[in-house]
C-alpha cells in the first residue's frame, strides 16, 4: 500500500509541474523595452496582446515593477518576455527576461 501512495504522489507532482509550466508559458507577454525609470521603479513596454491581463490589442504602457532588481536585467531596445498582474494603482511586472 505504501508503494501505491508514493506512486500516486509522484504522478500528482508531475502533473502539477507540467500544468504549472504550461500556465506560466501562457502568461508570458512579448514586448520591447522602450524606457526604464529606475528611480521610480517603472518600465515602459511596447507589447502585443496581453490576454492574461485582459488586453486584446497591442499597446505601449508604463508598468511598475515588483522588484527593482528586474530593471537591471534588461535595457532599452531589448525584446523581452514578461509576466504582469493587476495591482493597486495599476499593472505590475512580476517577471521579465530577454526574449530568445
Amino acid at each position: 500500500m505504501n508503494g501505491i501512495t508514493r506512486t500516486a504522489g509522484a504522478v500528482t507532482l508531475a502533473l502539477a509541474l507540467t500544468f504549472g509550466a504550461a500556465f506560466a508559458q501562457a502568461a508570458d507577454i512579448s514586448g520591447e523595452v522602450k524606457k526604464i525609470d529606475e528611480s521610480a521603479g517603472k518600465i515602459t513596454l511596447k507589447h502585443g496582446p496581453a490576454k492574461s491581463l485582459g488586453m486584446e490589442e497591442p499597446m505601449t504602457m508604463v508598468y511598475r515593477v515588483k522588484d527593482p532588481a528586474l530593471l537591471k536585467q534588461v535595457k532599452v531596445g531589448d525584446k523581452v518576455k514578461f509576466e504582469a498582474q493587476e495591482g493597486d494603482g495599476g499593472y505590475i511586472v512580476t517577471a521579465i527576461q530577454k526574449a530568445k
Side-chain angles (χ1 to χ4, degrees):
M1 196 66 140
N2 203 8
I4 293 172
T5 303
R6 275 187 286 207
T7 302
V11 169
T12 302
L13 177 62
L15 287 171
L17 291 173
T18 300
F19 286 116
F23 177 77
Q25 287 178 338
D28 281 346
I29 305 163
S30 296
E32 179 183 349
V33 178
K34 298 307 254 177
K35 182 179 177 182
I36 296 173
D37 184 346
E38 286 189 53
S39 63
K42 295 181 178 181
I43 187 168
T44 303
L45 297 164
K46 178 180 178 182
H47 59 80
K51 295 185 191 272
S52 62
L53 300 175
M55 300 174 192
E56 299 295 325
E57 300 295 322
M59 62 186 72
T60 301
M61 286 183 55
V62 177
Y63 291 86
R64 289 183 297 132
V65 292
K66 183 175 183 176
D67 179 0
L70 294 173
L71 298 176
K72 298 201 181 292
Q73 298 176 13
V74 295
K75 64 183 185 310
V76 173
D78 282 349
K79 303 287 186 200
V80 296
K81 293 272 191 182
F82 68 99
E83 294 178 19
Q85 64 188 29
E86 191 168 5
D88 293 336
Y91 294 96
I92 302 165
V93 172
T94 57
I96 193 166
Q97 64 183 8
K98 291 182 184 179
K100 296 178 181 175

